[in-house]
Amino acid sequence: MPRWESDAQGRLERAALELFEAQGYERTSVAQIAGAAGLKERSFYRYFPDKREVLFAGNELEAHLVAQVEATDPSLTPIEALLTALRTAEEIFRPREFLLRRARVIAANPALAERDLIKLADIADALALAIERRGVEPGKARFIIDVVLAIHRRATSRWLTSPDASLSQLITQASDELREAVTLPAPTAR
């Protein structure tokens, strides 16, 4: 039997999620998380600066989405480039059940919900810069990001609870719904 087991970071994330579900975020200590993962407390801090970050590790999603936006065909509109990038996010997501459990833990704790919003804002900032590099004015880039993130939120919430659909399909569906819902009237002369 090997003394060392791989994927320490993943084990810490899974152990934290299980403990947060069982006894709550506030009542769970870093020492308990490390122990449940078969590690020492100091090992926890090699991967995470604090307990809250165990559910928000890394910037894989941000880096992936920015790279995807930068790799899209330059002839695509900014919204099309962002939606194309978001359709690939499922490639790096964890299993749906883990994400669903994680979402419930985050929703039950204000500190975690706040961190989730900060993480989303960081991703939005990085994506705004990516489409600015495509020639989009900063204010317009921010507006486009807000619209695309609304599409993403709708699609992701459905994806987490609908095992028969891919995230890509649901992003297309949500963007189609928005297109149908937003029929702005022509401006009237004043």
Side-chain angles (χ1 to χ4, degrees), residues 98-135:
F98 181 91
L99 293 173
L100 190 55
R101 292 171 56 209
R102 178 184 171 274
R104 285 191 296 261
V105 167
I106 290 169
N109 187 281
L112 294 175
E114 177 184 20
R115 180 62 186 114
D116 195 35
L117 291 173
I118 291 167
K119 190 76 165 181
L120 183 60
D122 291 344
I123 292 170
D125 290 344
L127 289 172
L129 290 173
I131 63 171
E132 286 175 30
R133 288 190 291 273
R134 293 173 66 96

PDB file of all heavy atoms in Angstrom, residues 98-135:
ATOM      1  N   PHE A  98     -21.046  17.227  -8.216  1.00  0.00           N
ATOM      2  CA  PHE A  98     -20.146  17.991  -7.347  1.00  0.00           C
ATOM      3  C   PHE A  98     -20.506  19.469  -7.409  1.00  0.00           C
ATOM      4  O   PHE A  98     -20.606  20.146  -6.381  1.00  0.00           O
ATOM      5  CB  PHE A  98     -18.683  17.791  -7.764  1.00  0.00           C
ATOM      6  CG  PHE A  98     -17.699  18.529  -6.897  1.00  0.00           C
ATOM      7  CD1 PHE A  98     -17.139  17.931  -5.785  1.00  0.00           C
ATOM      8  CD2 PHE A  98     -17.314  19.833  -7.203  1.00  0.00           C
ATOM      9  CE1 PHE A  98     -16.235  18.610  -4.979  1.00  0.00           C
ATOM     10  CE2 PHE A  98     -16.419  20.527  -6.412  1.00  0.00           C
ATOM     11  CZ  PHE A  98     -15.875  19.916  -5.293  1.00  0.00           C
ATOM     12  N   LEU A  99     -20.728  19.996  -8.613  1.00  0.00           N
ATOM     13  CA  LEU A  99     -21.059  21.409  -8.777  1.00  0.00           C
ATOM     14  C   LEU A  99     -22.411  21.758  -8.152  1.00  0.00           C
ATOM     15  O   LEU A  99     -22.576  22.834  -7.572  1.00  0.00           O
ATOM     16  CB  LEU A  99     -21.037  21.792 -10.251  1.00  0.00           C
ATOM     17  CG  LEU A  99     -19.661  21.753 -10.908  1.00  0.00           C
ATOM     18  CD1 LEU A  99     -19.786  21.983 -12.404  1.00  0.00           C
ATOM     19  CD2 LEU A  99     -18.713  22.758 -10.276  1.00  0.00           C
ATOM     20  N   LEU A 100     -23.354  20.850  -8.256  1.00  0.00           N
ATOM     21  CA  LEU A 100     -24.668  21.072  -7.656  1.00  0.00           C
ATOM     22  C   LEU A 100     -24.558  21.112  -6.126  1.00  0.00           C
ATOM     23  O   LEU A 100     -25.118  21.998  -5.469  1.00  0.00           O
ATOM     24  CB  LEU A 100     -25.639  19.984  -8.101  1.00  0.00           C
ATOM     25  CG  LEU A 100     -27.103  20.176  -7.755  1.00  0.00           C
ATOM     26  CD1 LEU A 100     -27.640  21.497  -8.272  1.00  0.00           C
ATOM     27  CD2 LEU A 100     -27.926  19.030  -8.335  1.00  0.00           C
ATOM     28  N   ARG A 101     -23.823  20.188  -5.562  1.00  0.00           N
ATOM     29  CA  ARG A 101     -23.602  20.175  -4.110  1.00  0.00           C
ATOM     30  C   ARG A 101     -22.865  21.447  -3.674  1.00  0.00           C
ATOM     31  O   ARG A 101     -23.208  22.055  -2.662  1.00  0.00           O
ATOM     32  CB  ARG A 101     -22.802  18.938  -3.716  1.00  0.00           C
ATOM     33  CG  ARG A 101     -23.581  17.639  -3.892  1.00  0.00           C
ATOM     34  CD  ARG A 101     -22.712  16.407  -3.710  1.00  0.00           C
ATOM     35  NE  ARG A 101     -22.034  16.398  -2.425  1.00  0.00           N
ATOM     36  CZ  ARG A 101     -20.862  15.800  -2.220  1.00  0.00           C
ATOM     37  NH1 ARG A 101     -20.252  15.147  -3.201  1.00  0.00           N
ATOM     38  NH2 ARG A 101     -20.302  15.827  -1.029  1.00  0.00           N
ATOM     39  N   ARG A 102     -21.856  21.821  -4.436  1.00  0.00           N
ATOM     40  CA  ARG A 102     -21.085  23.034  -4.155  1.00  0.00           C
ATOM     41  C   ARG A 102     -21.999  24.253  -4.173  1.00  0.00           C
ATOM     42  O   ARG A 102     -21.922  25.122  -3.303  1.00  0.00           O
ATOM     43  CB  ARG A 102     -19.967  23.168  -5.186  1.00  0.00           C
ATOM     44  CG  ARG A 102     -19.118  24.390  -5.049  1.00  0.00           C
ATOM     45  CD  ARG A 102     -18.101  24.432  -6.217  1.00  0.00           C
ATOM     46  NE  ARG A 102     -17.404  25.680  -6.263  1.00  0.00           N
ATOM     47  CZ  ARG A 102     -17.836  26.779  -6.883  1.00  0.00           C
ATOM     48  NH1 ARG A 102     -18.990  26.770  -7.534  1.00  0.00           N
ATOM     49  NH2 ARG A 102     -17.130  27.878  -6.875  1.00  0.00           N
ATOM     50  N   ALA A 103     -22.882  24.342  -5.150  1.00  0.00           N
ATOM     51  CA  ALA A 103     -23.805  25.477  -5.263  1.00  0.00           C
ATOM     52  C   ALA A 103     -24.716  25.571  -4.035  1.00  0.00           C
ATOM     53  O   ALA A 103     -24.991  26.677  -3.546  1.00  0.00           O
ATOM     54  CB  ALA A 103     -24.634  25.362  -6.543  1.00  0.00           C
ATOM     55  N   ARG A 104     -25.163  24.429  -3.530  1.00  0.00           N
ATOM     56  CA  ARG A 104     -26.025  24.436  -2.332  1.00  0.00           C
ATOM     57  C   ARG A 104     -25.260  24.932  -1.106  1.00  0.00           C
ATOM     58  O   ARG A 104     -25.793  25.696  -0.299  1.00  0.00           O
ATOM     59  CB  ARG A 104     -26.610  23.047  -2.088  1.00  0.00           C
ATOM     60  CG  ARG A 104     -27.737  22.686  -3.046  1.00  0.00           C
ATOM     61  CD  ARG A 104     -28.464  21.426  -2.616  1.00  0.00           C
ATOM     62  NE  ARG A 104     -27.627  20.245  -2.641  1.00  0.00           N
ATOM     63  CZ  ARG A 104     -27.613  19.345  -3.620  1.00  0.00           C
ATOM     64  NH1 ARG A 104     -28.416  19.469  -4.656  1.00  0.00           N
ATOM     65  NH2 ARG A 104     -26.824  18.299  -3.555  1.00  0.00           N
ATOM     66  N   VAL A 105     -24.016  24.509  -0.961  1.00  0.00           N
ATOM     67  CA  VAL A 105     -23.201  24.950   0.173  1.00  0.00           C
ATOM     68  C   VAL A 105     -22.955  26.451   0.074  1.00  0.00           C
ATOM     69  O   VAL A 105     -23.069  27.181   1.067  1.00  0.00           O
ATOM     70  CB  VAL A 105     -21.868  24.165   0.227  1.00  0.00           C
ATOM     71  CG1 VAL A 105     -20.886  24.808   1.191  1.00  0.00           C
ATOM     72  CG2 VAL A 105     -22.124  22.711   0.617  1.00  0.00           C
ATOM     73  N   ILE A 106     -22.647  26.938  -1.113  1.00  0.00           N
ATOM     74  CA  ILE A 106     -22.389  28.366  -1.305  1.00  0.00           C
ATOM     75  C   ILE A 106     -23.643  29.179  -1.004  1.00  0.00           C
ATOM     76  O   ILE A 106     -23.585  30.191  -0.309  1.00  0.00           O
ATOM     77  CB  ILE A 106     -21.867  28.634  -2.734  1.00  0.00           C
ATOM     78  CG1 ILE A 106     -20.452  28.067  -2.881  1.00  0.00           C
ATOM     79  CG2 ILE A 106     -21.899  30.123  -3.067  1.00  0.00           C
ATOM     80  CD1 ILE A 106     -19.933  28.038  -4.306  1.00  0.00           C
ATOM     81  N   ALA A 107     -24.780  28.726  -1.500  1.00  0.00           N
ATOM     82  CA  ALA A 107     -26.035  29.455  -1.284  1.00  0.00           C
ATOM     83  C   ALA A 107     -26.400  29.533   0.199  1.00  0.00           C
ATOM     84  O   ALA A 107     -27.056  30.485   0.626  1.00  0.00           O
ATOM     85  CB  ALA A 107     -27.168  28.793  -2.069  1.00  0.00           C
ATOM     86  N   ALA A 108     -25.966  28.577   0.988  1.00  0.00           N
ATOM     87  CA  ALA A 108     -26.322  28.530   2.402  1.00  0.00           C
ATOM     88  C   ALA A 108     -25.406  29.386   3.278  1.00  0.00           C
ATOM     89  O   ALA A 108     -25.659  29.530   4.475  1.00  0.00           O
ATOM     90  CB  ALA A 108     -26.283  27.083   2.902  1.00  0.00           C
ATOM     91  N   ASN A 109     -24.343  29.959   2.693  1.00  0.00           N
ATOM     92  CA  ASN A 109     -23.400  30.714   3.501  1.00  0.00           C
ATOM     93  C   ASN A 109     -23.071  32.052   2.852  1.00  0.00           C
ATOM     94  O   ASN A 109     -22.491  32.081   1.767  1.00  0.00           O
ATOM     95  CB  ASN A 109     -22.123  29.895   3.708  1.00  0.00           C
ATOM     96  CG  ASN A 109     -21.199  30.577   4.674  1.00  0.00           C
ATOM     97  OD1 ASN A 109     -20.506  31.520   4.307  1.00  0.00           O
ATOM     98  ND2 ASN A 109     -21.205  30.114   5.907  1.00  0.00           N
ATOM     99  N   PRO A 110     -23.391  33.161   3.507  1.00  0.00           N
ATOM    100  CA  PRO A 110     -23.152  34.483   2.917  1.00  0.00           C
ATOM    101  C   PRO A 110     -21.690  34.753   2.548  1.00  0.00           C
ATOM    102  O   PRO A 110     -21.423  35.360   1.520  1.00  0.00           O
ATOM    103  CB  PRO A 110     -23.635  35.451   3.997  1.00  0.00           C
ATOM    104  CG  PRO A 110     -24.609  34.669   4.805  1.00  0.00           C
ATOM    105  CD  PRO A 110     -24.120  33.248   4.773  1.00  0.00           C
ATOM    106  N   ALA A 111     -20.742  34.288   3.359  1.00  0.00           N
ATOM    107  CA  ALA A 111     -19.328  34.530   3.043  1.00  0.00           C
ATOM    108  C   ALA A 111     -18.927  33.814   1.758  1.00  0.00           C
ATOM    109  O   ALA A 111     -18.160  34.348   0.947  1.00  0.00           O
ATOM    110  CB  ALA A 111     -18.439  34.076   4.196  1.00  0.00           C
ATOM    111  N   LEU A 112     -19.449  32.618   1.575  1.00  0.00           N
ATOM    112  CA  LEU A 112     -19.145  31.877   0.359  1.00  0.00           C
ATOM    113  C   LEU A 112     -19.872  32.477  -0.849  1.00  0.00           C
ATOM    114  O   LEU A 112     -19.316  32.544  -1.944  1.00  0.00           O
ATOM    115  CB  LEU A 112     -19.507  30.407   0.522  1.00  0.00           C
ATOM    116  CG  LEU A 112     -18.682  29.638   1.552  1.00  0.00           C
ATOM    117  CD1 LEU A 112     -19.219  28.218   1.710  1.00  0.00           C
ATOM    118  CD2 LEU A 112     -17.212  29.628   1.187  1.00  0.00           C
ATOM    119  N   ALA A 113     -21.099  32.919  -0.641  1.00  0.00           N
ATOM    120  CA  ALA A 113     -21.850  33.553  -1.730  1.00  0.00           C
ATOM    121  C   ALA A 113     -21.139  34.824  -2.186  1.00  0.00           C
ATOM    122  O   ALA A 113     -21.049  35.108  -3.385  1.00  0.00           O
ATOM    123  CB  ALA A 113     -23.276  33.840  -1.290  1.00  0.00           C
ATOM    124  N   GLU A 114     -20.611  35.573  -1.224  1.00  0.00           N
ATOM    125  CA  GLU A 114     -19.863  36.785  -1.561  1.00  0.00           C
ATOM    126  C   GLU A 114     -18.617  36.428  -2.376  1.00  0.00           C
ATOM    127  O   GLU A 114     -18.315  37.066  -3.379  1.00  0.00           O
ATOM    128  CB  GLU A 114     -19.468  37.528  -0.285  1.00  0.00           C
ATOM    129  CG  GLU A 114     -18.630  38.756  -0.545  1.00  0.00           C
ATOM    130  CD  GLU A 114     -18.157  39.428   0.739  1.00  0.00           C
ATOM    131  OE1 GLU A 114     -18.136  38.771   1.803  1.00  0.00           O
ATOM    132  OE2 GLU A 114     -17.799  40.610   0.665  1.00  0.00           O
ATOM    133  N   ARG A 115     -17.902  35.395  -1.956  1.00  0.00           N
ATOM    134  CA  ARG A 115     -16.696  34.983  -2.678  1.00  0.00           C
ATOM    135  C   ARG A 115     -17.051  34.505  -4.083  1.00  0.00           C
ATOM    136  O   ARG A 115     -16.317  34.761  -5.037  1.00  0.00           O
ATOM    137  CB  ARG A 115     -15.969  33.867  -1.910  1.00  0.00           C
ATOM    138  CG  ARG A 115     -14.714  33.380  -2.595  1.00  0.00           C
ATOM    139  CD  ARG A 115     -13.687  34.506  -2.722  1.00  0.00           C
ATOM    140  NE  ARG A 115     -12.550  34.084  -3.496  1.00  0.00           N
ATOM    141  CZ  ARG A 115     -12.220  34.586  -4.688  1.00  0.00           C
ATOM    142  NH1 ARG A 115     -12.942  35.530  -5.239  1.00  0.00           N
ATOM    143  NH2 ARG A 115     -11.163  34.145  -5.323  1.00  0.00           N
ATOM    144  N   ASP A 116     -18.176  33.843  -4.232  1.00  0.00           N
ATOM    145  CA  ASP A 116     -18.623  33.381  -5.547  1.00  0.00           C
ATOM    146  C   ASP A 116     -18.851  34.577  -6.478  1.00  0.00           C
ATOM    147  O   ASP A 116     -18.459  34.554  -7.645  1.00  0.00           O
ATOM    148  CB  ASP A 116     -19.902  32.555  -5.400  1.00  0.00           C
ATOM    149  CG  ASP A 116     -20.237  31.747  -6.631  1.00  0.00           C
ATOM    150  OD1 ASP A 116     -19.315  31.252  -7.314  1.00  0.00           O
ATOM    151  OD2 ASP A 116     -21.438  31.595  -6.916  1.00  0.00           O
ATOM    152  N   LEU A 117     -19.459  35.623  -5.959  1.00  0.00           N
ATOM    153  CA  LEU A 117     -19.691  36.831  -6.754  1.00  0.00           C
ATOM    154  C   LEU A 117     -18.376  37.509  -7.134  1.00  0.00           C
ATOM    155  O   LEU A 117     -18.225  38.009  -8.253  1.00  0.00           O
ATOM    156  CB  LEU A 117     -20.595  37.801  -5.999  1.00  0.00           C
ATOM    157  CG  LEU A 117     -22.044  37.358  -5.828  1.00  0.00           C
ATOM    158  CD1 LEU A 117     -22.793  38.317  -4.913  1.00  0.00           C
ATOM    159  CD2 LEU A 117     -22.733  37.227  -7.175  1.00  0.00           C
ATOM    160  N   ILE A 118     -17.426  37.526  -6.215  1.00  0.00           N
ATOM    161  CA  ILE A 118     -16.117  38.113  -6.496  1.00  0.00           C
ATOM    162  C   ILE A 118     -15.408  37.324  -7.594  1.00  0.00           C
ATOM    163  O   ILE A 118     -14.833  37.890  -8.516  1.00  0.00           O
ATOM    164  CB  ILE A 118     -15.259  38.194  -5.216  1.00  0.00           C
ATOM    165  CG1 ILE A 118     -15.847  39.231  -4.264  1.00  0.00           C
ATOM    166  CG2 ILE A 118     -13.803  38.506  -5.536  1.00  0.00           C
ATOM    167  CD1 ILE A 118     -15.276  39.191  -2.858  1.00  0.00           C
ATOM    168  N   LYS A 119     -15.479  36.004  -7.497  1.00  0.00           N
ATOM    169  CA  LYS A 119     -14.857  35.152  -8.515  1.00  0.00           C
ATOM    170  C   LYS A 119     -15.497  35.399  -9.884  1.00  0.00           C
ATOM    171  O   LYS A 119     -14.800  35.505 -10.892  1.00  0.00           O
ATOM    172  CB  LYS A 119     -15.005  33.688  -8.101  1.00  0.00           C
ATOM    173  CG  LYS A 119     -14.214  32.718  -8.908  1.00  0.00           C
ATOM    174  CD  LYS A 119     -12.758  32.760  -8.533  1.00  0.00           C
ATOM    175  CE  LYS A 119     -12.045  31.547  -9.074  1.00  0.00           C
ATOM    176  NZ  LYS A 119     -10.647  31.529  -8.717  1.00  0.00           N
ATOM    177  N   LEU A 120     -16.809  35.494  -9.929  1.00  0.00           N
ATOM    178  CA  LEU A 120     -17.508  35.773 -11.181  1.00  0.00           C
ATOM    179  C   LEU A 120     -17.115  37.144 -11.728  1.00  0.00           C
ATOM    180  O   LEU A 120     -16.925  37.301 -12.936  1.00  0.00           O
ATOM    181  CB  LEU A 120     -19.024  35.688 -10.978  1.00  0.00           C
ATOM    182  CG  LEU A 120     -19.870  35.895 -12.231  1.00  0.00           C
ATOM    183  CD1 LEU A 120     -19.550  34.857 -13.298  1.00  0.00           C
ATOM    184  CD2 LEU A 120     -21.349  35.850 -11.870  1.00  0.00           C
ATOM    185  N   ALA A 121     -16.968  38.137 -10.849  1.00  0.00           N
ATOM    186  CA  ALA A 121     -16.544  39.470 -11.285  1.00  0.00           C
ATOM    187  C   ALA A 121     -15.133  39.432 -11.864  1.00  0.00           C
ATOM    188  O   ALA A 121     -14.848  40.116 -12.857  1.00  0.00           O
ATOM    189  CB  ALA A 121     -16.625  40.457 -10.120  1.00  0.00           C
ATOM    190  N   ASP A 122     -14.257  38.631 -11.268  1.00  0.00           N
ATOM    191  CA  ASP A 122     -12.900  38.487 -11.798  1.00  0.00           C
ATOM    192  C   ASP A 122     -12.926  37.884 -13.206  1.00  0.00           C
ATOM    193  O   ASP A 122     -12.198  38.326 -14.098  1.00  0.00           O
ATOM    194  CB  ASP A 122     -12.044  37.601 -10.884  1.00  0.00           C
ATOM    195  CG  ASP A 122     -11.724  38.260  -9.550  1.00  0.00           C
ATOM    196  OD1 ASP A 122     -11.894  39.494  -9.419  1.00  0.00           O
ATOM    197  OD2 ASP A 122     -11.309  37.523  -8.629  1.00  0.00           O
ATOM    198  N   ILE A 123     -13.761  36.882 -13.399  1.00  0.00           N
ATOM    199  CA  ILE A 123     -13.896  36.257 -14.725  1.00  0.00           C
ATOM    200  C   ILE A 123     -14.462  37.272 -15.716  1.00  0.00           C
ATOM    201  O   ILE A 123     -13.980  37.387 -16.850  1.00  0.00           O
ATOM    202  CB  ILE A 123     -14.763  34.987 -14.649  1.00  0.00           C
ATOM    203  CG1 ILE A 123     -14.027  33.899 -13.866  1.00  0.00           C
ATOM    204  CG2 ILE A 123     -15.151  34.492 -16.043  1.00  0.00           C
ATOM    205  CD1 ILE A 123     -14.865  32.680 -13.519  1.00  0.00           C
ATOM    206  N   ALA A 124     -15.466  38.039 -15.290  1.00  0.00           N
ATOM    207  CA  ALA A 124     -16.062  39.054 -16.152  1.00  0.00           C
ATOM    208  C   ALA A 124     -15.017  40.101 -16.560  1.00  0.00           C
ATOM    209  O   ALA A 124     -14.957  40.509 -17.729  1.00  0.00           O
ATOM    210  CB  ALA A 124     -17.245  39.715 -15.457  1.00  0.00           C
ATOM    211  N   ASP A 125     -14.191  40.526 -15.613  1.00  0.00           N
ATOM    212  CA  ASP A 125     -13.136  41.501 -15.921  1.00  0.00           C
ATOM    213  C   ASP A 125     -12.164  40.945 -16.960  1.00  0.00           C
ATOM    214  O   ASP A 125     -11.784  41.644 -17.905  1.00  0.00           O
ATOM    215  CB  ASP A 125     -12.364  41.882 -14.657  1.00  0.00           C
ATOM    216  CG  ASP A 125     -13.172  42.724 -13.683  1.00  0.00           C
ATOM    217  OD1 ASP A 125     -14.217  43.277 -14.081  1.00  0.00           O
ATOM    218  OD2 ASP A 125     -12.741  42.822 -12.509  1.00  0.00           O
ATOM    219  N   ALA A 126     -11.757  39.701 -16.779  1.00  0.00           N
ATOM    220  CA  ALA A 126     -10.813  39.085 -17.722  1.00  0.00           C
ATOM    221  C   ALA A 126     -11.435  38.947 -19.106  1.00  0.00           C
ATOM    222  O   ALA A 126     -10.768  39.185 -20.129  1.00  0.00           O
ATOM    223  CB  ALA A 126     -10.365  37.722 -17.194  1.00  0.00           C
ATOM    224  N   LEU A 127     -12.701  38.581 -19.167  1.00  0.00           N
ATOM    225  CA  LEU A 127     -13.381  38.452 -20.458  1.00  0.00           C
ATOM    226  C   LEU A 127     -13.592  39.810 -21.116  1.00  0.00           C
ATOM    227  O   LEU A 127     -13.488  39.933 -22.347  1.00  0.00           O
ATOM    228  CB  LEU A 127     -14.708  37.716 -20.296  1.00  0.00           C
ATOM    229  CG  LEU A 127     -14.593  36.228 -19.994  1.00  0.00           C
ATOM    230  CD1 LEU A 127     -15.962  35.641 -19.666  1.00  0.00           C
ATOM    231  CD2 LEU A 127     -13.945  35.486 -21.149  1.00  0.00           C
ATOM    232  N   ALA A 128     -13.881  40.825 -20.323  1.00  0.00           N
ATOM    233  CA  ALA A 128     -14.031  42.175 -20.878  1.00  0.00           C
ATOM    234  C   ALA A 128     -12.722  42.616 -21.538  1.00  0.00           C
ATOM    235  O   ALA A 128     -12.729  43.152 -22.654  1.00  0.00           O
ATOM    236  CB  ALA A 128     -14.452  43.156 -19.792  1.00  0.00           C
ATOM    237  N   LEU A 129     -11.609  42.365 -20.871  1.00  0.00           N
ATOM    238  CA  LEU A 129     -10.308  42.711 -21.456  1.00  0.00           C
ATOM    239  C   LEU A 129     -10.066  41.922 -22.744  1.00  0.00           C
ATOM    240  O   LEU A 129      -9.514  42.456 -23.709  1.00  0.00           O
ATOM    241  CB  LEU A 129      -9.180  42.454 -20.456  1.00  0.00           C
ATOM    242  CG  LEU A 129      -9.138  43.408 -19.270  1.00  0.00           C
ATOM    243  CD1 LEU A 129      -8.085  42.950 -18.255  1.00  0.00           C
ATOM    244  CD2 LEU A 129      -8.851  44.831 -19.728  1.00  0.00           C
ATOM    245  N   ALA A 130     -10.484  40.664 -22.747  1.00  0.00           N
ATOM    246  CA  ALA A 130     -10.285  39.833 -23.948  1.00  0.00           C
ATOM    247  C   ALA A 130     -11.065  40.387 -25.139  1.00  0.00           C
ATOM    248  O   ALA A 130     -10.555  40.399 -26.259  1.00  0.00           O
ATOM    249  CB  ALA A 130     -10.696  38.387 -23.665  1.00  0.00           C
ATOM    250  N   ILE A 131     -12.281  40.864 -24.910  1.00  0.00           N
ATOM    251  CA  ILE A 131     -13.020  41.405 -26.061  1.00  0.00           C
ATOM    252  C   ILE A 131     -12.599  42.843 -26.374  1.00  0.00           C
ATOM    253  O   ILE A 131     -12.723  43.276 -27.511  1.00  0.00           O
ATOM    254  CB  ILE A 131     -14.551  41.234 -25.948  1.00  0.00           C
ATOM    255  CG1 ILE A 131     -15.144  41.979 -24.792  1.00  0.00           C
ATOM    256  CG2 ILE A 131     -14.920  39.768 -25.926  1.00  0.00           C
ATOM    257  CD1 ILE A 131     -16.670  41.995 -24.813  1.00  0.00           C
ATOM    258  N   GLU A 132     -12.056  43.550 -25.395  1.00  0.00           N
ATOM    259  CA  GLU A 132     -11.470  44.857 -25.701  1.00  0.00           C
ATOM    260  C   GLU A 132     -10.285  44.686 -26.648  1.00  0.00           C
ATOM    261  O   GLU A 132     -10.086  45.500 -27.555  1.00  0.00           O
ATOM    262  CB  GLU A 132     -11.034  45.570 -24.421  1.00  0.00           C
ATOM    263  CG  GLU A 132     -12.185  46.128 -23.616  1.00  0.00           C
ATOM    264  CD  GLU A 132     -11.742  46.716 -22.286  1.00  0.00           C
ATOM    265  OE1 GLU A 132     -10.597  47.224 -22.187  1.00  0.00           O
ATOM    266  OE2 GLU A 132     -12.541  46.678 -21.339  1.00  0.00           O
ATOM    267  N   ARG A 133      -9.511  43.613 -26.448  1.00  0.00           N
ATOM    268  CA  ARG A 133      -8.376  43.342 -27.346  1.00  0.00           C
ATOM    269  C   ARG A 133      -8.853  43.023 -28.765  1.00  0.00           C
ATOM    270  O   ARG A 133      -8.086  43.071 -29.704  1.00  0.00           O
ATOM    271  CB  ARG A 133      -7.515  42.212 -26.786  1.00  0.00           C
ATOM    272  CG  ARG A 133      -6.708  42.621 -25.561  1.00  0.00           C
ATOM    273  CD  ARG A 133      -5.678  41.587 -25.167  1.00  0.00           C
ATOM    274  NE  ARG A 133      -6.237  40.357 -24.654  1.00  0.00           N
ATOM    275  CZ  ARG A 133      -6.555  40.133 -23.380  1.00  0.00           C
ATOM    276  NH1 ARG A 133      -6.372  41.077 -22.480  1.00  0.00           N
ATOM    277  NH2 ARG A 133      -7.042  38.975 -23.003  1.00  0.00           N
ATOM    278  N   ARG A 134     -10.127  42.690 -28.901  1.00  0.00           N
ATOM    279  CA  ARG A 134     -10.727  42.459 -30.220  1.00  0.00           C
ATOM    280  C   ARG A 134     -11.255  43.763 -30.823  1.00  0.00           C
ATOM    281  O   ARG A 134     -11.906  43.742 -31.860  1.00  0.00           O
ATOM    282  CB  ARG A 134     -11.855  41.441 -30.119  1.00  0.00           C
ATOM    283  CG  ARG A 134     -11.397  40.041 -29.748  1.00  0.00           C
ATOM    284  CD  ARG A 134     -12.558  39.111 -29.491  1.00  0.00           C
ATOM    285  NE  ARG A 134     -13.359  38.838 -30.656  1.00  0.00           N
ATOM    286  CZ  ARG A 134     -13.245  37.779 -31.458  1.00  0.00           C
ATOM    287  NH1 ARG A 134     -12.320  36.880 -31.194  1.00  0.00           N
ATOM    288  NH2 ARG A 134     -14.035  37.622 -32.481  1.00  0.00           N
ATOM    289  N   GLY A 135     -11.020  44.889 -30.131  1.00  0.00           N
ATOM    290  CA  GLY A 135     -11.404  46.188 -30.656  1.00  0.00           C
ATOM    291  C   GLY A 135     -12.696  46.764 -30.111  1.00  0.00           C
ATOM    292  O   GLY A 135     -13.199  47.759 -30.622  1.00  0.00           O
TER     293      GLY A 135
END
